[in-house]
Structures are given as structure tokens and as C-alpha cells.
Amino acid sequence: MSSRTLPLLFINLGGEMLYILDQRLRAQNIPADKAKKVMNDIITTMFNKKFLEELFKPQDLYSKKALRTVFDRLAHASIMRLNQASMDKLYDLMTMAFKYQVLLCPRPKDLLLVSFNHMDAIKDFVKDTPGILSQVDETYQQLIEMYTPLSSGDFQLIRQTLLIFFQDMHIRVSIFLKDKVQNSNGRFVLPTSGPVPHGTQVPGLIRMFSCTGEELTRLQFSNGGNYTAALREGSFEIFGDRVTKLGTNMYSVSRPVETHMSGTSKNSAQHTKVNTAPNPLAKEELNLLAKLMGGLEVQKPGNADSGFRVNLFATDEEEEEALISRPDELSYGVIKIQATKDQQANAELAKIMGEFTESGDQSPSASSKGDDLLAMMDGL
């Protein structure tokens, strides 16, 4: 397991979440000013400096349930609200999209290019908001400093850690099914064609050398695919052509997206139930991260006219049916964070919470919005 996996997992899942929400906000004809506020608020929360300081510390991955709780809070960082079924679908789409990208990365190091594609898109969402843009740019620098010096072996370990995290997730997604890159059992189809990874050659040739390094013979064989020469390497700088399309917005062309539980997932529900139970250490780490994000319970906006609900299904009836039909074992419960209780139990966490409270007291708008996640971020 790699201790450097969490930042990449969080940023890539966050990028996929923003793609999906942007598409749904447009599909539901949400007024442009409200849609922009939602995107800005979520991105501000994602790239909060103190939160990212904790995120970038070497640490093990959280359990699936703990990570789901973080994204549940993140999705509700603004005036938008999601019902349980829509939040389940949002998380399913996020995780399956990134799992697909991890599987198709030509080289383990290309995970960083996928991350940069997500970061490029996030920058485009906030290009007219300099304050938020500077937060994103700062994270860009952190990613470059942390990951560009890593060896191929380090990236292979990160990729393996991600695949272990995703290995029991087999949610069928309509876009993948229509494009024939996913089977009916929820497993992805790996291509046997296209360009080979950068720095490698098209398979099909065996060369034999003498002990002195002189080439003796060549043998050709059928590689069983339709491979082409490698493309140029993508840019690992803040600005540049990433070359790979993995990590770009697959919802840019409007089409309905549905998710379905595969038979494999249903049959292994008990196995999933065991794996998703958070251990005490993961919950403690989550509590700290939740506090750094302003981790009090998220409340509905005080002004009923200012808030709105987003539905990731075509109709409310479909949303209700999805909630009823989803197995309990596969619905990630949200871990309840008791901020006051944790403050009493842990002096260090209390100190951190105190810093947030002092910052929040300086902002009148933050105090008026109560315990909403965004309010805590506004108070920083």
C-alpha cells in the first residue's frame, strides 16, 4: 500500500464529481448564478489550505464508508442539496469513472496526467474567480513537488493501491455500456489496440543477443492486437498538453447517464458489508478532516428560496425507486461527526477546531449561515 495515494484519489474523484454536477445543473436549467455559486463553493471547500495540508500528509487510504462521508459533506458545501439516492448515484458515477481511468492508464506514471486533466478542468470552472484560482494553483504546485520526483515503482504501488480500493466496485454505467467498454457484469473491457505506452515499442518482435551484446537473430510473432506506435509524452507542468484524454469531461456531450447494480455486486453484498466498515483509526482521521472542512452537521439554508435540490435521475419517481431497490449493504452510511464530543476527547483536535472558530468569528456572513460546511470555509 502506498501512503501517497490519498491526494490523487481525492482530487480525481472530486474532479469527476464536478463534471457530473455541472452536467446536472445544466440539464435541470438551474439559473447560471446559482450554478456558478455551487461550483465555486465546492471547489473552495475542496482546496481549503488547512484541509489539503492534512490530505497531503503520508497516510493510508480511508475506508470506502469514510471517504464517502467526506464527499457527502463536500457535495453539500453550498446551497444545493441531494437526496440519498442521488448521492448514491453521484458517488457510483465518480468512483466507476476514475476506476476506468486507473485501469486504462498506459503507464502508472500517467495517473499524474489524469490528475492534471482534472485539475485543468477545475481551473476552467473558476477561471473568473481569482481567489479560488490561486487555491487551485497552489495545489498544482504541491502535486508537482510531491509526485514528479517519484520513480516508476512508486507510481506502480500507487496504482496497485487504487485498484485494490476499487476491486469490489462493479456498478454498471450506461455511458460505458453503450461505448462497449463495460460488460453487463460491471467489469471493464481492456483494449487490445491503440498506441502503446510512451517509451515502449509495439509488441511482436523478439531479439536475441550474444553474451557480448551483439544481436544474433530476430523472431516475429502475432501480438493478438492492433497496436500502434506510442504517442508523445504528456506535459507534467502546470501548463501543457497532457496528450491523454483520460480524466477529461466525458459528459461534455449531453446524454443520459444511468447506473445499475451488477449481479456480482448484489451477490457479494455480505462481502462488501464487511469491507466497508470503518476501523477506529480511519474514523479518527476522518474526524480530523471533517473538522478541517468545517465538519459540523450540514444544515439546510435558512432562506428557502435560495436553496435547491438536484436530482441525478430523470424523475423523482425513479429516484425513489432507486433508493428502495438499492441493497442496504451497498448504501454507504454517513459517519456521524460529533464535534463537541471529540473536542472534549482530544485536546489537539480541540485546538484545531478553536482556530476555525476564531477565524469564523471574524466573518459576519459565516456566523449567519450556522453550521453549513460552506460557512466554515467562508470564515477562513
Side-chain angles (χ1 to χ4, degrees):
M1 290 272 184
S2 173
S3 60
R4 298 184 180 95
T5 306
L6 185 59
L8 293 184
L9 178 62
F10 176 79
I11 286 170
N12 285 284
L13 287 180
E16 289 300 321
M17 181 178 73
L18 291 169
Y19 290 158
I20 298 163
L21 292 179
D22 178 61
Q23 188 267 344
R24 290 310 301 166
L25 290 168
R26 294 175 188 272
Q28 291 189 211
N29 296 318
I30 301 298
D33 59 333
K34 288 189 175 183
K36 186 174 182 61
K37 175 176 174 54
V38 168
M39 300 297 283
N40 285 351
D41 289 348
I42 292 176
I43 294 171
T44 299
T45 307
M46 272 185 68
F47 293 94
N48 170 259
K49 185 175 181 179
K50 288 192 175 183
F51 170 71
L52 289 175
E53 284 177 359
E54 289 300 320
L55 192 74
F56 274 84
K57 290 179 180 178
Q59 56 193 295
D60 292 336
L61 284 185
Y62 302 146
S63 69
K64 294 181 177 69
K65 183 177 288 188
L67 192 67
R68 161 63 194 266
T69 301
V70 171
F71 280 102
D72 188 278
R73 291 176 176 276
L74 190 58
H76 293 91
S78 188
I79 56 178
M80 177 193 70
R81 292 296 174 261
L82 297 170
N83 285 348
Q84 177 71 36
S86 284
M87 188 64 216
D88 286 340
K89 180 176 179 179
L90 173 63
Y91 193 70
D92 288 344
L93 289 171
M94 291 160 47
T95 52
M96 292 306 290
F98 185 44
K99 177 181 180 179
Y100 177 68
Q101 294 157 15
V102 173
L103 283 169
L104 261 68
C105 268
R107 304 174 302 170
K109 186 179 181 180
D110 290 335
L111 282 171
L112 194 52
L113 294 176
V114 175
S115 305
F116 284 171
N117 271 335
H118 282 119
M119 291 290 291
D120 291 342
I122 293 170
K123 285 185 67 173
D124 191 56
F125 283 133
V126 295
K127 60 185 178 183
D128 299 325
T129 314
I132 309 175
L133 190 60
S134 65
Q135 290 178 249
V136 180
D137 283 336
E138 189 173 335
T139 305
Y140 241 128
Q141 291 292 349
Q142 286 181 281
L143 286 172
I144 291 173
E145 291 172 8
M146 174 177 282
Y147 291 100
T148 53
L150 298 186
S151 66
S152 297
D154 291 327
F155 277 108
Q156 173 59 21
L157 190 56
I158 291 173
R159 183 175 184 270
Q160 184 179 17
T161 304
L162 288 170
L163 291 175
I164 292 172
F165 181 82
F166 288 128
Q167 67 180 352
D168 294 324
M169 299 181 181
H170 306 295
I171 313 299
R172 290 176 294 167
V173 179
S174 61
I175 286 181
F176 294 141
L177 292 169
K178 290 173 183 176
D179 291 344
K180 300 186 184 304
V181 298
Q182 190 179 32
N183 292 326
S184 58
N185 62 1
R187 297 182 183 276
F188 289 113
V189 179
L190 298 182
T192 56
S193 62
V196 296
H198 180 79
T200 63
Q201 298 177 344
V202 175
L205 177 66
I206 299 174
R207 295 187 295 170
M208 297 184 183
F209 297 85
S210 67
C211 57
T212 60
E214 180 185 357
E215 183 176 333
L216 299 178
T217 59
R218 291 191 175 196
L219 298 175
Q220 291 187 331
F221 64 93
S222 174
N223 57 32
N226 185 24
Y227 297 103
T228 59
L231 301 174
R232 68 186 186 282
E233 187 173 31
S235 171
F236 289 91
E237 302 297 329
I238 290 184
F239 301 101
D241 184 3
R242 312 303 175 195
V243 179
T244 180
K245 298 300 180 184
L246 296 174
T248 57
N249 192 351
M250 67 178 180
Y251 308 100
S252 55
V253 178
S254 180
R255 49 180 173 170
V257 184
E258 299 298 332
T259 58
H260 307 279
M261 302 306 301
S262 70
T264 304
S265 295
K266 290 179 180 178
N267 294 336
S268 62
Q270 185 61 37
H271 178 64
T272 305
K273 182 178 180 181
V274 173
N275 284 345
T276 57
N279 59 51
L281 179 58
K283 184 171 181 179
E284 284 302 314
E285 291 172 335
L286 172 66
N287 283 340
L288 176 56
L289 284 174
K291 286 176 172 60
L292 294 174
M293 292 198 310
L296 300 179
E297 294 297 328
V298 178
Q299 297 180 354
K300 293 182 179 180
N303 183 356
D305 294 331
S306 64
F308 60 90
R309 183 173 69 88
V310 168
N311 186 354
L312 267 72
F313 295 84
T315 64
D316 289 345
E317 289 74 18
E318 285 186 22
E319 184 179 44
E320 292 174 6
E321 182 181 349
L323 180 61
I324 295 171
S325 61
R326 189 179 181 91
D328 292 339
E329 295 87 348
L330 298 175
S331 288
Y332 300 101
V334 175
I335 299 174
K336 297 298 182 182
I337 308 298
Q338 301 296 332
T340 306
K341 182 178 179 181
D342 286 338
Q343 281 183 328
Q344 296 170 350
N346 191 313
E348 183 61 27
L349 294 184
K351 178 182 178 183
I352 296 173
M353 281 298 290
E355 292 174 359
F356 268 75
T357 303
E358 290 170 6
S359 300
D361 289 342
Q362 297 171 5
S363 172
S365 61
S367 60
S368 64
K369 292 181 182 178
D371 293 339
D372 194 292
L373 193 62
L374 171 63
M376 299 299 290
M377 291 297 97
D378 285 343
L380 291 176

